[in-house]
């Protein structure tokens, strides 16, 4: 029975009901079934972290999760953090400190750091570097990302 | 765990360069200011538009059946099981694409052997990952299921796995047209008297360097959506590319269509770094299939494909000899360079791109009159190469900077002094180098001096010795280089390319409300052109950059251009925009002059207004001029207004940035691990349009260069099988592997561009491998060891130290106790 | 890189999970954190016909003490071990949070599970090494009942354990605390799988080593005890010479593989270096 499963999932505060086949990844479900294309797919084996979303508040690599596993759960994606006219504080820090160039890895970093700052609102520089090392960026050399996270933490931008 | 103990290593690091230079009010305005990027708003909020984000109803997903052998004939392809799968619409092979011509990159010169790269393999495969058949289905999942069911019968042939194999007696030919596997063999220079110079020189220094095959690995792989527009007869191809017009040319040529009947759209692109500045066979394939089936077709490259079948780069071997006089001056340079270019020639720059640049650019920033270089591109049964940020310059600088360090050692002058004596000096600019390139003014010696000072080079021996006494191996390495940027058509033409890039044309249009669109043929994929170009135009027009918006990436909309690569955009694109802006500004001044009854030459544009210089009573809003030009043209004499548009082209003469990079490393003698303690860049790219963006480009390039120096490689086994197929084995540097980069700027505006800006995007990757390798060797020299290959793996360090110990047991062991 | 098709079943209890495993047959696999399994499925290196999702069995997510024994529920997350704070537990099992910090990154530690790692049996995995170091007892359940498998016989080969296809790990018990146990590893980048890892615990009485455990990871198909090194330590004074000799024994006792990350010779060299370091650290804290 690789038939479709019916699931209920809350994404960015809105409840959705979907019928999907078990092997459809959470990343593909968010991007193509819910038209939330802000979450990006960079490797499909859980290393680059571009697909990071929050599931029940914890960071999850959505390429390593099946959509059916998110049944009954609450997912947050980058679209929840702000809009082009009203950036969230973490997003503002990223633009202030040139924390992005092509923007492909950026949503994954934003969600990762959002979860991190909620748990650790006053991180040390080493803790920031350790968390930022979770994800890959090929454009920035991480310099702007580290500065942005530092600034966001200092400004109390966690959560 | 960091295997080297932590703690202060050298002198306390200089204050790290803050994020972007603080806004520097430039005279007149916007150039030179670190404005926040326009692009950020939509990228940060997940509103970017990447090709893979596009879904159309009824779209067919294309998944490729790729060769899993390196060299074979294709004896049969059986797609019957695949076609029986529900949801599968078609399986396409070369037999279905009879009318589709292969890609053929050509250098019109006798030393070059042209070969074809077919869109799908025709009877023969030449590398693992070569595409053989395309499965079209209603989802990527189904297409991948069906692709597994396509059966290919191969007649396996012995694989040519590397340069040594390829050049060996009796080696099989990768291409019939090149029986000896040499696709290009150039000796672009051979100065008379070279051999005598070497015979009589006080010192002859020789270095051998090899660099591993690597890949650009942008976070977004390739992606296409191809459709056929029945109404216009156009093929519309959305693709993640750096070069929309070049893709259009290739598709039109392959499909036998007029170029205007092919429309290429490149939306947001998640990194390219050169890998996407050549045309992928999959791009042409998607277009061909869309036209054949009259369906919209999408292909999204996955990471395994990207790492194994996507264009690779930089596998090169250098033997370089330098003749030096008794006072350390470089008298002559002799080089033999071999490049493993893989199985096919990329389009349009060809497999000669690395080969030619290596030989042409090896002398770099050093004074030299006697030079000989032979450079060869050798075909192997491996994935083809294409330009990757820096192209051959990272390797060439690696070789030259090793040579300089060695020369510093044998002459006793040391690393800084030997370079200083040989770097082209300020008084010598413009300097025509031994290859005929004319270097505009730069700061070669000044950047070296500043970098050495920032690293505490003067007190380094003491610092290093104290660490050694504690059993710690520290090393300091330098790399000086010049970065040719924005080659114009003359320079590309000299390579004998049959499609000659180099110019850019920009069109500016002001609308009745006074806002401006800039249409450019370059293609920003992280470089922030929407911001920088707006700054250039806004300065000329006297308006706020927020009123200037960039349109790029649609061949239907923008003037013919060459995309973004070779550090060209701010020079070529920015130059065309500067000229077109000046033209548009002139039109506005003429309209204002007519309305306020002044001479156009007395009118200035600033802060959104036009007025006679020094007479605010005459001030008119520029928006009003725009309105009148469009909606009240009856008020203007013939020849003024009636629209507001300007177009201009710029074909750069070529302008040269320079930098010195310096690295301090700690090498663990136990594990062989290398830790970067400090990394300093002193660079000069002339006028910086947006300093924050410049810093970002340097930082990203340095990170990639460190990756090449310490982490990245794509090994192939003896049967041509790629060993790395995932990010588990292909190691990109993370934030934990890199120190904070200290980036400093000198500024020598160039007279060769309208803005004074030089290109600079590749500098980071060019200097870093050499700085790191030299630092590692500076550390290892203390125990009599050295390494001559990148990436420097921990195992290589351990082996080098062990080899040194076995050569000189007592001395080496004492030093590492 | 999309996975092959499979049927999906969510277990509401451990009993239901093992029932499903029995019904679905050998080609069914358990899905917990998915950090290893789903990546392999995306590459189609693993193609289970059925997945039994046990990630919601929160009753199996615990780390608790029971008469001096540490009992770790199969679904304890890596981060749960990273965050162990009870001083009583840390006194005897402080090596666990230190080991957790080597595992991947923040996001992986928020999803991956202790039991999943043991069942996956990667030779360089920290929890597999810890299982050997602490003489762990692995409690496995199937429809017929539970059995307890000692760690020493549990790891059979590369990614292969003694678990039957219809069995599920419920709990891992570390019966005896080992104060001062240490672990160190060498990887190309922080968070990568170790090229070589070494863990050690020693106890001494009156300046003489009475008991020693040395475990190596990344040198064979499974994590393994370095018996020669242990023998060299027992009865010694744990001085520099003894440690060096033990490290030499540890290296000599391995026949490591070579791959893109390190040759056999280099791995053996790392064993010598890391074994010495970790034994020294363990001896200092003993």
């Amino acid at each position: 029975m690789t038939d479709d499963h019916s699931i209920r999932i809350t994404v960015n505060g809105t409840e959705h009901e979907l019928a999907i086949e078990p092997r459809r990844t959470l990343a593909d479900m968010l991007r193509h079934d819910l038209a939330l294309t802000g979450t990006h797919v960079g490797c499909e084996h859980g290393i680059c972290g571009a697909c990071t979303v929050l599931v029940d508040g914890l960071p999850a690599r959505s390429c390593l999760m099946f959509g059916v596993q998110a049944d009954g759960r609450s997912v947050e994606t980058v679209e929840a953090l702000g809009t082009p006219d009203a950036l969230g504080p973490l997003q503002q820090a990223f633009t202030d400190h040139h924390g992005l160039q092509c923007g492909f890895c950026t949503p994954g970093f934003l969600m990762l750091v959002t979860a991190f700052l909620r748990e650790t609102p006053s991180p040390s520089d080493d803790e920031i570097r350790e968390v930022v090392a979770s994800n890959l960026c090929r454009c920035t050399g991480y310099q702007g990302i580290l500065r942005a996270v530092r600034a966001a933490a200092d400004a109390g931008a966690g959560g | 765990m960091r295997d080297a103990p932590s703690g202060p290593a050298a002198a306390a690091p200089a204050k790290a360069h803050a994020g972007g230079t603080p806004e520097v009010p430039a005279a007149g305005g916007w150039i030179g200011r670190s404005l926040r990027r326009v692009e950020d708003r939509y990228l940060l909020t997940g509103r970017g538009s990447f090709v893979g984000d596009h879904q159309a109803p009824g779209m067919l997903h294309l998944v490729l059946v790729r060769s899993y052998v390196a060299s074979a004939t294709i004896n049969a392809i059986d797609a019957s099981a695949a076609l029986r799968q529900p949801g599968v619409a078609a399986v396409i092979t070369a037999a279905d694409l009879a009318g589709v011509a292969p890609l053929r990159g050509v250098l019109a010169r006798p030393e070059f052997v042209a070969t074809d790269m077919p869109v799908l393999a025709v009877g023969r495969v030449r590398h693992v990952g070569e595409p053989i058949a395309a499965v079209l289905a209603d989802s990527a999942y189904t297409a991948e299921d069906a692709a597994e069911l396509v059966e290919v019968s191969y007649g396996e042939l012995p694989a040519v796995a590397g340069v040594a194999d390829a050049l060996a007696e009796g080696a099989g030919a990768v291409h019939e047209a090149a029986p000896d596997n040499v696709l290009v063999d150039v000796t672009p220079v051979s100065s008379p008297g070279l051999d005598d110079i070497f015979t009589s020189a006080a010192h002859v220094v020789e270095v051998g360097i090899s660099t591993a095959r690597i890949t650009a690995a942008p976070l977004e792989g390739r992606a296409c959506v191809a459709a056929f527009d029945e109404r216009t007869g156009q093929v519309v191809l959305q693709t993640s590319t750096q070069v929309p017009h070049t893709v259009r040319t290739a598709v039109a040529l392959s499909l036998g269509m007029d170029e205007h009947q092919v429309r290429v759209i490149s939306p947001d692109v998640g990194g390219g770094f050169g890998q996407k500045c050549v045309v992928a066979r999959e791009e042409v394939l998607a277009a061909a299939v869309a036209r054949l089936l009259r369906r919209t077709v999408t292909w999204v490259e996955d990471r395994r494909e990207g790492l194994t079948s996507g264009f690779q780069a930089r596998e090169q071997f250098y033997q370089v000899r330098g003749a030096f006089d008794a006072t350390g001056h470089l008298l002559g340079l002799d080089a033999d360079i071999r490049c493993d270019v893989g199985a096919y020639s990329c389009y349009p720059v060809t497999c000669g791109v690395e080969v030619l640049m290596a030989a042409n650019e090896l002398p770099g920033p050093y004074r030299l009159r006697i030079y000989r270089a032979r450079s060869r591109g050798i075909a192997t049964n491996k994935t083809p190469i294409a330009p990757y940020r820096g192209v051959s310059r990272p390797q060439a600088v690696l070789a030259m900077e090793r040579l300089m360090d060695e020369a510093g050692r044998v002459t006793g002058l040391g690393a800084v002094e030997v370079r200083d004596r040989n770097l082209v000096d300020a008084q010598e600019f413009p300097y025509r180098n031994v290859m005929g390139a004319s270097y505009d003014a730069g700061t070669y010696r000044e950047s070296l001096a500043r970098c050495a000072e920032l690293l505490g080079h003067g007190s380094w021996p003491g610092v290093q010795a104290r660490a050694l006494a504690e059993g710690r191996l520290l090393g300091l390495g330098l790399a000086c280089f010049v970065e040719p940027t924005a080659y114009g058509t003359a320079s590309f033409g000299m390579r004998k390319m049959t499609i000659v890039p180099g110019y850019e044309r920009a069109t500016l249009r002001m609308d009745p409300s006074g806002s401006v669109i800039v249409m450019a043929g370059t293609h920003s994929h992280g470089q922030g052109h929407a911001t920088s170009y707006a700054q250039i135009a806004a300065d000329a027009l006297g308006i706020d950059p927020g009123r200037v918006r960039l349109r790029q990436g649609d061949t239907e909309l923008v003037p013919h251009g060459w995309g973004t690569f070779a550090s060209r955009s701010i020079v070529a694109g920015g130059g065309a925009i500067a000229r077109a802006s000046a033209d548009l500004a002139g039109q506005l001044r003429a309209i204002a002059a007519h309305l306020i009854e002044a001479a156009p030459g007395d009118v200035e544009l600033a802060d959104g207004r036009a007025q006679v210089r020094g007479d605010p009573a005459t001030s008119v809003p520029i928006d009003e001029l725009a309105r009148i030009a469009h909606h009240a043209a009856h008020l203007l004499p013939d020849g003024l207004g009636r629209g507001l548009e300007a177009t201009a082209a710029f074909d750069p003469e070529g302008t040269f940035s320079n930098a010195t990079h310096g690295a301090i490393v700690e090498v663990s003698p136990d594990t062989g691990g290398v830790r970067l303690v400090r990394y300093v860049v002193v660079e000069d790219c002339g006028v910086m349009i947006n300093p924050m963006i410049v810093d970002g480009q340097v930082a990203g390039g340095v990170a990639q260069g460190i990756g090449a120096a310490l982490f990245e490689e794509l090994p192939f086994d003896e049967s041509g099988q790629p060993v790395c197929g995932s990010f588990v084995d292909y190691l990109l540097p993370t934030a934990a592997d890199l120190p904070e980069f200290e980036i400093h700027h000198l500024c020598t505006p160039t007279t060769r561009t309208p803005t004074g800006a030089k290109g600079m995007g590749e500098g980071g990757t060019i200097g870093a491998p050499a700085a790191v390798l030299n630092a590692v060797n500076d550390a290892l020299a203390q125990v009599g060891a050295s390494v001559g290959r990148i990436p420097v793996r921990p195992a290589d360090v351990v082996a080098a130290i062990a080899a040194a110990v076995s050569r000189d047991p007592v001395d080496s062991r004492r030093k590492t106790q | 890189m999309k996975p092959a098709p499979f049927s999906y079943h969510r277990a509401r209890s451990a009993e239901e999970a093992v029932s499903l495993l029995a019904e679905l047959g050998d080609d069914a696999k358990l899905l917990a954190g998915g950090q290893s399994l789903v990546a392999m499925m995306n590459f189609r290196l693993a193609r289970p016909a059925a997945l039994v999702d046990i990630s919601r069995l929160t009753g199996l997510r615990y780390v608790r003490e029971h008469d001096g024994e540490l009992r770790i529920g199969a679904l304890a997350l890596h981060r749960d071990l990273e965050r162990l704070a009870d001083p009583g537990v840390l006194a005897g099992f402080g090596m666990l949070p230190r080991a957790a910090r080597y595992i991947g990154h923040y996001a992986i530690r928020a999803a991956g599970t202790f039991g999943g790692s043991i069942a996956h049996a990667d030779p360089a995995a920290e929890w597999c090494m810890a299982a050997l170091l602490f003489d762990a007892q692995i409690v496995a359940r199937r429809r017929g009942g539970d059995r307890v498998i000692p760690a020493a016989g549990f790891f059979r080969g590369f990614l292969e354990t003694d678990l039957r296809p219809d069995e599920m790990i419920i709990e891992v018990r570390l019966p005896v605390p080992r104060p001062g146990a240490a672990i160190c590893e060498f990887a190309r980048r922080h968070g990568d799988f170790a090229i070589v890892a070494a863990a050690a615990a020693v106890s001494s009485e009156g300046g003489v080593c009475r008991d020693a455990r040395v475990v190596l990871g990344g040198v064979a198909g499974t994590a393994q005890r370095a018996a020669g090194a242990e023998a060299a330590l027992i009865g010694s004074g744990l001085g520099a010479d003894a440690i060096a000799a033990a490290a030499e024994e540890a290296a000599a006792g391995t026949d490591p593989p070579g791959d893109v990350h390190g040759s056999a010779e280099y791995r053996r060299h790392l064993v010598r270096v890391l074994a010495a370091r970790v034994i020294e650290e363990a001896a200092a804290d003993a």
Side-chain angles (χ1 to χ4, degrees), chain B residues 726-758:
Chain B
S726 77
F727 281 152
V728 174
D729 296 323
Y730 192 74
L731 305 178
L732 300 190
T734 70
D737 304 304
L738 304 168
E740 195 169 353
F741 301 148
E742 302 161 53
I743 302 171
H744 302 259
H745 299 283
L746 302 172
C747 178
T748 309
T750 180
T751 53
R752 295 180 183 179
T753 68
T755 56
K758 302 176 176 184

Side-chain angles (χ1 to χ4, degrees), chain A residues 1-2 5 22-23 25 28 43-46 58-59 61 63-66 68-71 73 112 115-116 119 130-131 133-134 136, chain C residues 1-8 10 31-32 35 38-39 41-44 51 53 55-56 79 83 105-110 189-190:
Chain A
M1 285 177 1
T2 64
H5 283 241
R23 62 172 169 164
T25 62
D28 285 344
C43 74
E44 295 183 294
H45 51 287
L58 284 181
R61 291 174 169 188
C63 71
L64 295 186
M65 252 184 100
F66 300 112
V68 291
Q69 290 180 271
D71 183 24
R73 303 201 116 116
L112 173 78
F116 170 64
E119 271 189 11
E130 163 121 21
V131 167
S134 309
L136 296 178
Chain C
M1 284 159 51
K2 309 299 180 192
F6 56 86
S7 66
Y8 174 79
R10 189 179 305 134
L31 175 63
Q35 303 299 285
V38 180
M41 289 175 70
N42 287 348
F43 274 105
R44 299 199 176 200
L51 286 187
D53 183 354
S55 62
R56 310 257 181 140
R79 78 192 239 122
R83 278 146 206 269
H105 296 289
Y106 172 55
I108 291 171
R109 296 199 284 269
R189 299 172 308 177
H190 182 74

Side-chain angles (χ1 to χ4, degrees), chain B residues 1 55 75 88 104 144 164 183 210 239 261 268 279 304 316 404 418 432 497 510 550 627 644 649 727 740 749 795:
Chain B
M1 175 181 83
Q55 297 281 280
N75 297 338
V88 174
R104 189 176 175 84
E144 197 171 326
L183 294 180
S210 73
T239 179
Q261 285 303 88
D268 293 320
V279 180
R304 179 173 44 195
Q316 300 184 1
M404 283 299 168
V418 72
R432 186 159 292 280
M497 290 173 66
M510 181 175 274
L550 174 66
R627 186 191 69 77
L644 281 173
F727 281 152
E740 195 169 353

Side-chain angles (χ1 to χ4, degrees), chain C residues 63-153:
Chain C
V63 183
R64 54 180 172 244
E65 223 201 321
H66 183 92
D67 289 343
E69 180 178 82
L70 192 69
R71 295 186 169 183
I72 303 170
L75 294 178
L77 300 177
H78 302 314
R79 78 192 239 122
D80 295 337
L81 287 133
E82 190 186 3
R83 278 146 206 269
L84 278 180
D86 182 329
V89 169
L90 288 175
F93 299 97
M95 179 262 210
L96 297 175
R98 286 194 293 275
R101 259 160 239 136
Y102 282 115
I103 299 177
H105 296 289
Y106 172 55
I108 291 171
R109 296 199 284 269
T113 63
F114 193 92
S117 179
I118 298 282
H120 185 64
D122 187 289
E126 289 78 2
W127 298 148
C128 297
M129 293 174 64
L132 290 180
L133 192 84
F134 285 96
D135 293 316
Q137 310 214 303
I138 293 139
V139 182
R141 176 165 301 168
R142 48 194 276 256
R143 199 152 58 174
D146 291 2
R147 65 173 173 131
V148 180
I149 313 166

Side-chain angles (χ1 to χ4, degrees), chain A residues 11-12 24 26-42 50-53 62 77-80 103-108 111, chain B residues 42-56 220 268:
Chain A
V11 183
N12 300 333
R24 196 160 180 72
L26 177 61
D28 285 344
M29 191 186 87
L30 290 168
R31 285 172 52 71
H32 301 306
D33 300 330
L34 295 176
L36 292 167
T37 56
T39 301
H40 300 142
V41 173
C51 67
T52 304
V53 299
S62 61
T77 70
V78 66
E79 286 87 347
F104 196 79
C105 73
T106 308
M111 299 318 292
Chain B
Y42 59 83
L43 291 173
L44 281 167
T45 53
R47 267 76 165 175
S49 173
F50 297 88
V51 172
D53 299 341
H54 294 198
Q55 297 281 280
E220 185 208 18
D268 293 320

Side-chain angles (χ1 to χ4, degrees), chain A residues 123-131 146 150 154, chain B residues 740:
Chain A
S124 67
D125 286 353
D126 282 347
E127 285 173 314
I128 290 176
R129 189 175 284 276
E130 163 121 21
V131 167
L146 291 166
R150 177 78 270 161
D154 292 346
Chain B
E740 195 169 353

